[in-house]
Amino acid sequence: MLNNITKGHKTYGGARPITSGINWALLPVGYSVDPSVVPDIDKGHLPAGMLLVRNDVNHSAVPFKTAKVVSQSGTKITIPLVDGFCLSPFVVGDYIMKLGADFTTAGTGVKITAIDEVSGATQITTATSLTLSADDVIINCDSAGKPFGDPNAMLYTDVAKDNDSIAINVTAAIGLLDSVIFENRIPVIPDLAKASLLKAGCNFTFSNSK
């Protein structure tokens, strides 16, 4: 079945608006997302404000998952629950790497083997350890440690899936008119990703206001 669950329009976890307005510039076609990279609805979701790497040839998209590191101990990485509401967008089986200087060069990719909520944060366990420091940014990648490409769109609603979903279809936003996006309420967007959005012709203005 086709499943595109939106838990609270333009909200993060259905709790607070992520923007100061609703004038989204949306692409008129849907983009298919591999269901295996979308959390089950009882475990998490892809939150509004998450970036996408969209392919306009085959109308597919890869969620561009990011998180800022709070701490690391061996194979256990602690990342925050953004704004105190968002469950993890990562799933067991995802590969992650430390953000590099671009989105084309392969780094060291490690596989996520477990995800747990610990003391109001998310703890990710990986098969092997990465060398990370506090405030480093991790991103999802393929099994060879290569990023999925330059982000060129954004989710404007939360997306989750039922346990029996076999297909996910999402709408891609490429701009927000006369409004700002509250960065503290969405997954971390590195400056490198903001430059990629701008290069792709996207029109987003970000604010640090809480």
Side-chain angles (χ1 to χ4, degrees):
M1 76 181 188
L2 185 65
N3 192 353
N4 180 11
I5 301 173
T6 57
K7 295 164 50 185
H9 178 64
K10 68 178 179 61
T11 66
Y12 205 112
R16 300 169 69 191
I18 68 164
T19 72
S20 61
I22 58 173
N23 296 321
W24 290 93
L26 305 176
L27 294 177
V29 296
Y31 291 82
S32 63
V33 173
D34 179 358
S36 70
V37 304
V38 182
D40 291 337
I41 194 169
D42 58 340
K43 296 180 180 179
H45 59 273
L46 303 181
M50 170 170 282
L51 301 182
L52 296 171
V53 180
R54 75 176 201 273
N55 184 322
D56 291 330
V57 175
N58 60 15
H59 294 162
S60 65
V62 178
F64 188 84
K65 303 180 183 181
T66 65
K68 184 172 286 189
V69 175
V70 174
S71 63
Q72 178 196 22
S73 178
T75 59
K76 296 188 182 298
I77 303 167
T78 301
I79 61 175
L81 294 178
V82 178
D83 203 28
F85 298 106
C86 177
L87 298 176
S88 173
F90 294 97
V91 298
V92 171
D94 276 347
Y95 283 81
I96 59 173
M97 62 179 284
K98 179 180 176 179
L99 175 66
D102 55 51
F103 298 129
T104 57
T105 304
T108 300
V110 297
K111 188 176 184 178
I112 295 177
T113 58
I115 299 174
D116 301 286
E117 186 175 345
V118 179
S119 301
T122 296
Q123 186 178 82
I124 292 174
T125 303
T126 55
T128 55
S129 62
L130 287 172
T131 301
L132 299 168
S133 301
D135 293 331
D136 281 346
V137 174
I138 55 174
I139 64 173
N140 58 326
C141 61
D142 66 18
S143 59
K146 187 172 183 179
F148 288 111
D150 297 300
N152 54 8
M154 179 183 288
L155 285 176
Y156 81 111
T157 58
D158 300 334
V159 175
K161 69 174 183 180
D162 293 328
N163 295 335
D164 59 351
S165 295
I166 60 173
I168 299 286
N169 197 56
V170 302
T171 300
I174 58 171
L176 183 65
L177 307 179
D178 302 320
S179 304
V180 299
I181 296 174
F182 301 121
E183 282 193 80
N184 292 314
R185 304 181 190 180
I186 64 175
V188 59
I189 300 183
D191 289 342
L192 190 64
K194 291 178 182 177
S196 176
L197 290 172
L198 188 62
K199 185 178 179 180
C202 296
N203 179 30
F204 296 110
T205 301
F206 298 94
S207 170
N208 287 321
S209 174
K210 295 183 178 182

